[in-house]
Amino acid sequence: MEHRQVRPEAPRPLENWDALEHPADSGRPDEHALDADHDADHENDQGGQWGLFGPRTVTWRVHSDPLIGLATLRALAMQVLHPEGMANVFATARRVDDPWDRLQWAQRHIGAVVFGNSIEAAMTGARLRAVMGQVSGWSGDGDEFRGDDEELVLWMHCCQVASSVEVTRRGGLDLTDAEHETYLQEQVRTAAVWGLEPDRVPATRRDLTRYFRRVRPQLRMTHEARAFISSLLSPAVPDLIAMTQRNRPTWAPVAGLAWSSLPGWARTMYSSGPGDGAGSLAPAAATVALHSLRDELHRTRP
């Protein structure tokens, strides 16, 4: 498989999980007051500061949640299970074994689309499509593919959308079933920014479930995917640190929790995860841990 070559730089793990917060965190409205529809935001947007969404949308509620960074990490762990999706992940990281750089890249681009104005959203979409258009290779079936193929971009989008709403909701974000559906409907706008036709994008929970069921036969565990997830769960540390610090890095429990929050079929594909810590939690225990982490992040936010 060929992919765009990336510069060899040392991985830069996140020391502070709060670095993944979105621009809307400053002056963010109370989450229980954001239950009106997008049209009301659009009508009140006299200054043109809002783009695809606004503070009354479910999308702002979900993406302002402190667990959204962990949700994006979970999405990456799903995306790399698609062999061609793995090439797209490689194309947007400085190193293939640096998930933290790729995570921050994803957060910046998603944040610009969700919280930026219309111009920022359009420019972000164009930038992403340009990067993906440089990715090419050969699939496991021997067919040539491009990183901006519609099916591949749809896979990347659906992994992110599913992870964002499922992780935040499991962690305690107060969303009704109807609001869950509304979020998926709103995210069709994001998909359009990535170049997808709206009628191809799952816009209900039922459609999203059917989509993953349809795509799962195309997924497989590759050496690259296992190396990527290993660098996430068991990140390499400099020899000097390893000699002086026996414990795992501070971000390791959060990374393990992202893995534990994966759907059962994805965890099965990985066949084995970390033997201890947050990465070994059963689904019910992972939900409890997500609640605890969310509460802690709320307490520590300025």
Side-chain angles (χ1 to χ4, degrees):
M1 178 183 298
E2 299 176 2
H3 56 79
R4 190 168 68 92
Q5 189 172 5
V6 291
R7 298 191 304 273
E9 295 184 12
R12 295 177 291 107
L14 296 175
E15 295 294 344
N16 183 359
W17 193 249
D18 290 338
L20 296 180
E21 294 180 2
H22 283 291
D25 288 338
S26 57
R28 183 177 62 255
D30 181 79
E31 64 183 27
H32 296 290
L34 308 179
D35 56 359
D37 59 19
H38 175 262
D39 291 338
D41 281 334
H42 182 71
E43 292 174 2
N44 294 327
D45 186 15
Q46 302 297 329
Q49 67 187 54
W50 301 326
L52 299 181
F53 309 100
R56 297 178 184 271
T57 59
V58 178
T59 292
W60 265 44
R61 288 181 62 190
V62 170
H63 287 263
S64 297
D65 192 85
L67 290 181
I68 196 65
L70 187 147
T72 302
L73 202 55
R74 176 198 194 252
L76 286 175
M78 292 179 65
Q79 289 167 352
V80 297
L81 290 173
H82 194 301
E84 287 78 64
M86 186 75 235
N88 268 355
V89 171
F90 279 9
T92 49
R94 288 181 173 85
R95 288 173 53 104
V96 299
D97 60 350
D98 186 3
W100 305 103
D101 179 76
R102 178 57 173 81
L103 174 62
Q104 293 182 84
W105 188 93
Q107 286 291 93
R108 287 194 300 271
H109 284 70
I110 295 170
V113 171
V114 170
F115 299 111
N117 58 37
S118 298
I119 295 176
E120 291 169 335
M123 292 180 63
T124 299
R127 186 181 304 114
L128 178 71
R129 293 194 300 272
V131 171
M132 298 311 174
Q134 299 178 50
V135 179
S136 63
W138 300 90
S139 68
D141 298 330
D143 298 326
E144 188 175 7
F145 75 88
R146 285 172 50 96
D148 57 358
D149 286 344
E150 186 176 27
E151 283 297 325
L152 185 52
V153 176
L154 181 61
W155 165 252
M156 307 291 283
H157 170 77
C158 288
C159 288
Q160 181 63 58
V161 168
S163 295
S164 295
V165 69
E166 290 169 13
V167 166
T168 55
R169 199 177 185 193
R170 282 178 67 184
L173 179 63
D174 186 17
L175 287 184
T176 65
D177 289 344
E179 289 170 330
H180 190 157
E181 296 283 353
T182 298
Y183 173 77
L184 296 179
Q185 294 165 10
E186 291 175 354
Q187 284 304 300
V188 174
R189 304 170 205 159
T190 301
V193 172
W194 306 144
L196 296 171
E197 293 295 331
D199 59 356
R200 295 289 314 280
V201 181
T204 67
R205 287 184 294 171
R206 177 177 295 180
D207 288 345
L208 192 59
T209 299
R210 289 175 174 172
Y211 169 78
F212 283 120
R213 187 178 297 123
R214 175 175 66 83
V215 174
R216 279 170 59 182
Q218 305 173 33
L219 309 179
R220 61 181 183 272
M221 174 54 60
T222 63
H223 171 74
E224 292 86 357
R226 190 171 296 280
F228 185 87
I229 202 67
S230 295
S231 67
L232 176 66
L233 297 171
S234 301
V237 296
D239 292 340
L240 181 60
I241 297 179
M243 292 172 59
T244 59
Q245 180 177 331
R246 294 184 179 180
N247 297 328
R248 289 178 298 178
T250 56
W251 66 87
V254 176
L257 184 54
W259 190 91
S260 289
S261 68
L262 287 169
W265 57 263
R267 293 180 60 165
T268 299
M269 288 190 66
Y270 277 111
S271 71
S272 63
D276 58 3
S280 63
L281 295 176
T287 298
V288 173
L290 287 170
H291 270 269
S292 298
L293 177 60
R294 185 173 186 268
D295 290 344
E296 179 62 25
L297 290 174
H298 268 305
R299 284 194 296 270
T300 57
R301 275 184 169 181

